[in-house]
Amino acid sequence: RRELESLPDYHVAARLLVHGRPTRPFVLRTEPALLPQRSAAAQRQRNEILARVYAEHTRPVAEVEAELAER
């Protein structure tokens, strides 16, 4: 497990199944994700969607902690 935690950024360990048999594990390097360039309008729309999702699906930390303390 320590070996996996100490992999450098953008490196992954993999082990394939070939004809139903596992191969020896190996490490490969990946590239960082390229973030798409967004127009100001697209960025505003993204922020509005995120705000709506957060409002519908999250609660304040203090509220959750109070509920847990009651249990």
Side-chain angles (χ1 to χ4, degrees):
R1 179 175 170 189
R2 286 276 181 224
E3 295 85 10
L4 295 177
E5 291 175 352
S6 64
L7 285 174
D9 289 345
Y10 310 113
H11 284 72
V12 295
R15 188 164 95 175
L16 304 176
L17 286 177
V18 178
H19 302 294
R21 302 191 66 141
T23 63
R24 290 177 49 125
F26 57 96
V27 174
L28 57 126
R29 194 184 93 216
T30 65
E31 295 292 327
L34 297 175
L35 297 176
Q37 298 296 320
R38 293 188 175 100
S39 67
Q43 188 65 34
R44 275 192 306 277
Q45 181 182 21
R46 177 184 177 277
N47 291 341
E48 289 169 5
I49 292 168
L50 286 174
R52 191 169 48 246
V53 167
Y54 293 150
E56 292 175 11
H57 300 287
T58 63
R59 295 190 294 162
V61 172
E63 181 181 316
V64 174
E65 288 177 344
E67 184 178 312
L68 291 172
E70 286 178 14
R71 292 181 187 180

